[in-house]
Amino acid sequence: MDRDARIFIADNHGLIGEAIRRRLRDDGYENILGDSGKPSLIDARELQEFFSRTLPEYVFAVGGKSGGIGANQKLPADLMLDNLLVDCHVIDSAYRCAVKKLLYMGSSCCYPRACLQPMQVSSLMTGVLESTNEAYATAKLAGIKLSQAYRQQHGVDTITAIPANVFGPGDDFGVEDSHVIAALMVKMHQAKLFQNDHVDVWGSGAPRREFIYVGDVADAAIFLMNHYSSPVPINLGSGSDASIREIAELIKEVVGYSGELRFDPKKPDGMPLKSLDSAELLALGWQPQVPLRLGLEKTYRWYLENCHRKCLTS
Ligand code: GFB
């Protein structure tokens, strides 16, 4: 991408889109489209009109609603429908306006529940999905397949990145619907403030997840836009995983909470382990920069500065 390339980040101000936006600006990309009014991604006509008017050259397709295990169980239809609509409209509009390249952001929940670990892209579509996020994962798989189909039929340079579990500034810090790191951070922050003697942590604490800081995801997405072109999806991971118990203990330290962590086995564990084989990305010369502990510290600082008041009163 040239520094004056027309770039559209197709998102709803989610954490990944915002991090890509920040990173592009820091790197001197000047022509980021949609800052003065973004189109609705679920309105085909509005989106097509936006594409025709602004003629993006590069598209980061990182829109579509997402949420943690709670949201996935409560709102499977909302999550699936939103992602299907967004993916169809964004990919088709990009094709119709002859973009130079589109990066589609997949999800690690697209891998089968009983996948060999660390997960390799050759395992996609080889088994049954994890039931707690089947609807969302099906929509994300459809997005991957749709971007591949547009490459095959229309020659659009589409690529797909599959990130590990993303966390960081800009995340949804609600308690019920958010991903595990944001949820536990808020719970422990509130428990510290109100001097509660324990915090409920869902599930057994045994599942393992690979987490990646959102700044690294943004960095890798821009790197891939510049250095990768293939129909084969590419994993985007940090290279290490941790159990939910270990994560909860780390968050406890970062927040400075001294109460008890009370695990609730009646809540779902979800997939037992999600860890990505990111050898191909590393071989291209990309490296993550932000280790887990530092990422948690940056995230907590952002939460304190930006939303703990709002979250407390909502
Ligand atoms: O981030 P998360 O909600 O989603 O993490 P997944 C769920 C894991 O964290 C489960 C445990 O093992 C939960 O039992 N956990 C413990 C908690 N306490 C909490 C809590 O307070 N809130 C939450 N949310 N979890 C996601 C999908 O699966 O994977 C998303 O739901 C997305 O759609 C993402 O695709 C990549 O890692 O299980």
Side-chain angles (χ1 to χ4, degrees):
M1 291 184 291
D2 293 332
R3 289 297 190 267
D4 62 350
R6 289 188 301 280
I7 302 170
F8 179 46
I9 302 160
D11 76 326
N12 293 306
H13 296 289
L15 84 163
I16 297 180
E18 288 298 317
I20 294 175
R21 211 166 266 119
R22 280 194 298 275
R23 184 58 203 249
L24 286 170
R25 289 212 183 93
D26 289 350
D27 286 357
Y29 291 93
E30 294 160 355
N31 214 346
I32 302 168
L33 307 170
D35 279 2
S36 55
K38 289 206 327 176
S40 161
L41 303 180
I42 55 168
D43 183 328
R45 187 179 291 191
E46 189 178 324
L47 191 63
Q48 183 62 50
E49 193 280 324
F50 173 85
F51 267 79
S52 306
R53 186 165 38 81
T54 59
L55 295 176
E57 294 171 282
Y58 297 93
V59 175
F60 290 90
V62 294
K65 288 182 183 155
S66 72
I69 198 166
N72 271 276
Q73 292 197 291
K74 197 169 70 183
L75 309 165
D78 289 4
L79 292 176
M80 186 166 180
L81 181 66
D82 188 77
N83 279 278
L84 288 172
L85 290 173
V86 168
D87 294 350
C88 289
H89 297 159
V90 170
I91 293 169
D92 188 61
S93 294
Y95 153 62
R96 288 179 191 284
C97 289
V99 300
K100 288 188 176 158
K101 194 161 182 175
L102 177 144
L103 179 144
Y104 179 72
M105 196 60 80
S107 168
S108 60
C109 65
C110 292
Y111 283 102
R113 175 181 163 83
C115 198
L116 277 178
Q117 303 284 336
M119 302 185 289
Q120 302 188 340
V121 291
S122 55
S123 293
L124 288 166
M125 309 280 291
T126 60
V128 174
L129 295 166
E130 157 63 31
S131 62
T132 53
N133 55 31
E134 193 178 7
Y136 173 78
T138 303
K140 294 303 286 182
L141 274 170
I144 295 175
K145 288 289 161 198
L146 191 66
S147 62
Q148 289 172 331
Y150 272 73
R151 171 183 270 273
Q152 183 184 337
Q153 185 179 336
H154 299 300
V156 187
D157 190 0
T158 59
I159 57 172
T160 294
I162 301 184
N165 279 38
V166 185
F167 74 100
D171 211 343
D172 167 14
F173 283 89
V175 171
E176 292 300 317
D177 292 344
S178 52
H179 290 100
V180 58
I181 287 184
L184 290 182
M185 213 167 252
V186 181
K187 285 187 195 175
M188 289 190 213
H189 176 76
Q190 294 185 352
K192 182 175 85 168
L193 229 56
F194 299 119
Q195 298 177 344
N196 295 336
D197 63 357
H198 75 274
V199 159
D200 290 321
V201 183
W202 296 354
S204 63
R208 299 186 74 83
R209 295 285 181 272
E210 178 175 348
F211 290 100
I212 184 160
Y213 184 67
V214 71
D216 279 338
V217 175
D219 190 49
I222 295 166
F223 177 88
L224 288 170
M225 196 63 116
N226 283 317
H227 298 286
Y228 187 71
S229 178
S230 166
V232 182
I234 186 162
N235 283 338
L236 198 176
S238 61
S240 60
D241 58 73
S243 71
I244 298 297
R245 182 181 293 275
E246 288 162 345
I247 289 293
E249 292 289 353
L250 256 181
I251 295 173
K252 194 175 154 184
E253 278 175 36
V254 168
V255 169
Y257 174 60
S258 53
E260 180 197 349
L261 300 179
R262 210 172 274 177
F263 289 85
D264 178 359
K266 289 200 276 319
K267 292 281 191 182
D269 267 346
M271 210 149 140
L273 166 60
K274 274 194 283 187
S275 150
L276 295 178
D277 181 343
S278 303
E280 184 161 10
L281 179 58
L282 298 180
L284 288 174
W286 183 82
Q287 286 280 340
Q289 299 296 321
V290 182
L292 181 58
R293 167 81 191 217
L294 177 61
L296 291 174
E297 287 167 359
K298 283 167 171 273
T299 305
Y300 187 50
R301 205 172 314 133
W302 185 91
Y303 169 74
L304 291 177
E305 287 166 4
N306 289 275
C307 74
H308 91 110
R309 264 178 223 289
K310 197 175 83 200
C311 295
L312 281 179
T313 51
S314 63

